[in-house]
């Protein structure tokens, strides 16, 4: 998920690469569902962000704080920890938009579960978080 976020935010070239990679792995129907959910989540977060979100270069092995927050929100909400997801989201988005952010995170989490992938939280062993 982090790599997809990084590439998607790189612009049209990165988005084309994400699409090509996902369609080869998931097929066009599931890739389309994933990308719609990811894009909906990202645009909701970016529209509501209380500050500029930081991310690392595509090839960086590290997991940045904001990247961990973005993924952790989805992870928490998918695991049924709405309070945890809201606490994470409160660090980067306006409270007034919290309902939309949680809805979009839930949608993305459902698609991730369907394809058998999990978002990272940054707490995984070996995660290079900074």
């Amino acid at each position: 998920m982090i790599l997809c976020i990084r590439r998607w935010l790189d612009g049209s070239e990165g988005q084309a690469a994400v699409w090509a990679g996902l369609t080869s792995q998931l097929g066009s129907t599931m890739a389309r569902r994933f990308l719609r959910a990811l894009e909906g989540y990202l645009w909701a977060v970016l529209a509501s962000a209380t500050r500029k979100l930081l991310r690392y270069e595509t090839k960086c092995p590290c997991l940045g704080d904001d990247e961990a927050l973005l993924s952790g929100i989805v992870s928490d909400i998918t695991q049924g920890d709405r309070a945890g997801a809201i606490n994470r989201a409160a660090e980067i988005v306006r409270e007034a938009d919290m309902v939309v952010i949680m809805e979009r995170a839930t949608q993305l989490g459902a698609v991730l579960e369907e394809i058998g992938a999990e978002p990272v939280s940054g707490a995984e062993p070996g995660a290079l978080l900074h």
Side-chain angles (χ1 to χ4, degrees), residues 33-112:
R33 288 188 61 221
F34 172 74
L35 286 178
R36 281 187 187 145
L38 178 66
E39 190 173 43
Y41 175 63
L42 288 177
W43 295 149
V45 169
L46 293 172
S48 180
T50 56
R51 60 178 172 76
K52 181 179 170 139
L53 299 180
L54 302 175
R55 64 185 174 95
Y56 288 98
E57 294 295 320
T58 302
K59 295 181 182 185
C60 183
C62 300
L63 179 64
D65 290 337
D66 288 345
E67 294 168 332
L69 282 172
L70 289 172
S71 189
I73 293 164
V74 176
S75 178
D76 286 348
I77 201 80
T78 301
Q79 295 174 16
D81 183 5
R82 186 173 178 82
I86 289 172
N87 285 337
R88 286 184 198 250
E91 294 186 40
I92 55 175
V93 299
R94 293 185 299 265
E95 186 177 340
D97 298 322
M98 199 64 70
V99 171
V100 172
I101 303 299
M102 293 303 110
E103 287 174 2
R104 300 289 167 83
T106 299
Q107 292 166 355
L108 179 54
V111 174
L112 285 169

Side-chain angles (χ1 to χ4, degrees), residues 19 22-36:
W19 172 252
L22 289 173
T23 54
S24 71
Q25 292 178 4
L26 304 174
S28 63
T29 301
M30 187 54 72
R32 188 174 297 110
R33 288 188 61 221
F34 172 74
L35 286 178
R36 281 187 187 145

